[in-house]
Amino acid sequence: MSEVAKFDDLTRLLDFFVSRGLPGCGCAVAQRGKILYEAYVGHGDIKSKKPVTSDTVFRLYSMTKLVTCTAALKLFEQGKFLLHEPLYEYFPEYRDSQVVIKEPDGSYHLKKAENPILIKHAFSMSLGLPYAMFSDTPTAKAMKKVTDDLQKKYGKYDIVTEVKAMGQVPLEFEPGTRWMYGYGHDILAALIQLVSGKTPGQFMQEEIFDPLGMKDTGYRYKDDIKDRMITYYQKNPDGSLTKTEGPMRLDVYHEPDAIYEAGGVGLYSTIRDYLRFTQMLANGGHWNGEQIIGRKTIDLMRSNQLNDLQLRDFTNSYNAGYGYGLGVRTMLNTAQGHSNGSVGAFGWTGLAGTYTEIDPSEGVSIVYMHQMDPNFEEYHHLRVRNVAYGCLK
C-alpha cells in the first residue's frame, strides 16, 4: 500500500467528522521537515459556502500556551530566570501570597502561604490560580474583581499590569501541591515582557514567527487575516449550528488598537504555520539550519513535572496516559493512553477544537483544527492521533 493510500484513512475520517455535523476542519502531518499529509474538508463559513483551505486562519485559544512556554524557555536558555526562583523576585506583588482555607460548613478563611510561588509553578499550572470564567470559588471571584477594577480604571491595559494586580488574589492551594488548569501561562507572558523588554507578541514575532516563516500567526489582525478567519459556530442540542463570537469574545483583542496579549490564549494561526512551529519542536529545535530553541530544553519541556497527587488532578479520559511538563501534556504510558503513539510525545489543545501532538522520537508532528463549541475534543482529537500514527511507515 502506498503512503498516499494509507493517509486516505485520515481523509475519510475528516469527511466523517463533517458528515456528522462539524462545519469544517483541516489536518496536516509532517515528519523531519517534510509534509506527509495535508487536507481540508467542509466550510469555514456555511452561509457564504467559503471552504476551509490552507489559508484559513484559526483562533488557537489554549494552543497559544505552547508558543508562550517555548518563548519563555528561550529566555530561560539565555539565563534570564531560573525555574526554581520565587515569582516575587520578578513580581514583588506575590511575596506575601495567601491561601484559601475551606471549612466543612462551606465558609473559608485566609492564611499566609507556607511556600512561595516558583516560576516553574507557573509553567506547570501548580500555583493555585484558576481561569476565573470557569470557576466560582473565592479565588475566581477575586480574580474577576481584579479584571473588573482594571477595566474601570484603565479601559485597555497590558498583561504586566494585570499580572501585578493578580498578586493580591488568594490562592486555591499551597503553591506546588496540586494541579489546576488556569492562569499560570499568562504570568509567563508578563515575565517575557518584563525580562525581555518586549511585549509577548514582539518577542514571539522576532524569536519564533519570523525565523520559522509563520507569516499568518500573531495577536493582531494584519493584511487580510480578518477576512480569512474561520467562523466560530455553536452546535445546538438539535444539531443546528449558530454563528457565535466564541467564549470570552477574544476577537476584540485581535484588533489593531488592542494592547492585551495573554499567554494562555490570544494567538491566531493557520495549520501550515503551526505545523512549522511543531516541526521545529519535533526535530530538536532546528528549522532550515537555524536553532530556535535547544534540543535539551525541549526535553525538559516535555518532562513530567507532576507527582502522583497532581497527576490525579490532571488525568481524565482525554488526557489518559499523559503527564504534564512545562506547559505541555507529555505521554508517559501508551497503554494507559490507549494510544499507538510514542512515550515522550507532547502537545496541547485549544478550546475551539485545535490540537497538536509532537513526537521527537519520530520527528513527527500532527496539527488538526476546527472551530466549534462544544468542540468534542476527545471524540475528534484522539481519533486523529490514532489514525495519523497508523499511517506512518
Side-chain angles (χ1 to χ4, degrees):
M1 182 179 291
S2 71
E3 180 179 284
V4 173
K6 188 66 174 173
F7 273 105
D8 284 347
D9 289 341
L10 192 47
T11 301
R12 281 189 283 270
L13 180 67
L14 303 186
D15 285 334
F16 177 67
F17 289 166
V18 172
S19 73
R20 62 190 304 274
L22 195 66
C25 60
C27 183
V29 181
Q31 185 174 38
R32 300 184 184 94
K34 177 186 176 183
I35 296 178
L36 304 181
Y37 173 83
E38 184 178 19
Y40 303 91
V41 178
H43 293 107
D45 184 81
I46 295 171
K47 184 177 180 180
S48 67
K49 299 189 183 303
K50 181 169 65 175
V52 179
T53 71
S54 61
D55 291 326
T56 299
V57 178
F58 296 80
R59 301 160 190 84
L60 293 180
Y61 279 90
S62 285
M63 285 215 323
T64 299
K65 291 175 169 64
L66 187 49
V67 183
T68 299
C69 290
T70 301
L73 285 171
K74 283 181 64 67
L75 292 164
F76 164 80
E77 286 185 329
Q78 296 170 15
K80 300 294 187 181
F81 63 84
L82 299 173
L83 290 172
H84 63 281
E85 286 182 310
L87 183 62
Y88 65 67
E89 295 288 351
Y90 298 85
F91 295 100
E93 295 81 1
Y94 292 81
R95 180 176 292 275
D96 297 311
S97 295
Q98 293 184 305
V99 179
V100 175
I101 304 299
K102 300 171 186 175
E103 305 293 351
D105 64 359
S107 64
Y108 69 93
H109 67 275
L110 304 179
K111 75 164 189 175
K112 188 178 186 305
E114 296 178 7
N115 300 296
I117 298 171
L118 306 182
I119 290 177
K120 70 175 182 179
H121 296 153
F123 275 97
S124 63
M125 292 200 184
S126 57
L127 75 166
L129 290 176
Y131 273 134
M133 73 288 292
F134 300 138
S135 180
D136 197 36
T137 63
T139 299
K141 290 177 181 177
M143 294 178 76
K144 290 173 186 174
K145 185 178 186 305
V146 166
T147 55
D148 288 345
D149 290 347
L150 288 175
Q151 287 168 1
K152 290 174 185 175
K153 183 175 181 180
Y154 299 111
K156 296 178 181 179
Y157 55 85
D158 69 2
I159 190 63
V160 171
T161 299
E162 182 180 274
V163 164
K164 287 181 176 180
M166 288 295 178
Q168 65 186 270
V169 173
L171 307 175
E172 293 267 6
F173 49 74
E174 186 69 29
T177 61
R178 304 296 296 264
W179 185 90
M180 176 179 283
Y181 193 58
Y183 193 71
H185 299 165
D186 298 300
I187 290 175
L188 293 182
L191 182 65
I192 289 169
Q193 184 164 323
L194 187 73
V195 302
S196 74
K198 301 171 183 177
T199 68
Q202 289 171 336
F203 186 81
M204 292 172 185
Q205 189 68 47
E206 295 175 13
E207 301 293 331
I208 297 174
F209 303 152
D210 284 345
L212 292 176
M214 296 172 67
K215 60 183 178 61
D216 292 329
T217 303
Y219 283 102
R220 307 281 175 262
Y221 290 134
K222 56 189 176 184
D223 303 323
D224 63 344
I225 292 291
K226 190 172 185 178
D227 294 333
R228 291 194 278 131
M229 187 78 76
I230 192 170
T231 299
Y232 199 143
Y233 288 100
Q234 173 78 41
K235 188 169 187 178
N236 304 310
D238 64 359
S240 63
L241 296 166
T242 303
K243 185 176 179 178
T244 177
E245 294 182 60
M248 300 173 280
R249 299 183 176 183
L250 291 182
D251 283 4
V252 66
Y253 297 113
H254 296 316
E255 296 294 343
D257 61 345
I259 60 174
Y260 184 76
E261 294 177 350
V265 296
L267 289 175
Y268 58 75
S269 191
T270 61
I271 287 177
R272 282 187 180 177
D273 263 18
Y274 210 83
L275 191 69
R276 286 170 175 253
F277 171 66
T278 60
Q279 271 292 284
M280 177 271 293
L281 292 173
N283 291 284
H286 291 271
W287 182 261
N288 285 344
E290 184 172 354
Q291 182 175 324
I292 308 299
I293 190 170
R295 175 178 60 85
K296 298 299 292 182
T297 306
I298 297 170
D299 287 345
L300 173 63
M301 184 185 204
R302 64 192 179 110
S303 296
N304 176 53
Q305 300 287 318
L306 306 185
N307 60 32
D308 289 344
L309 176 59
Q310 291 170 318
L311 279 172
R312 287 196 289 273
D313 293 333
F314 172 73
T315 302
N316 54 33
S317 56
Y318 180 66
N319 283 325
Y322 290 96
Y324 194 75
L326 298 178
V328 295
R329 63 171 172 258
T330 183
M331 180 59 77
L332 302 179
N333 188 309
T334 54
Q336 291 178 5
H338 318 293
S339 169
N340 55 349
S342 304
V343 170
F346 66 101
W348 200 240
T349 297
L351 179 65
T354 55
Y355 164 84
T356 190
E357 187 86 343
I358 303 162
D359 186 344
S361 68
E362 299 283 345
V364 164
S365 60
I366 305 162
V367 176
Y368 167 86
M369 297 189 185
H370 70 241
Q371 307 268 258
M372 188 177 75
D373 180 27
N375 64 34
F376 300 108
E377 60 187 12
E378 186 168 344
Y379 186 93
H380 294 99
H381 298 166
L382 301 190
R383 282 172 168 78
V384 167
R385 179 193 68 186
N386 298 341
V387 174
Y389 268 112
C391 293
L392 299 180
K393 290 184 176 179

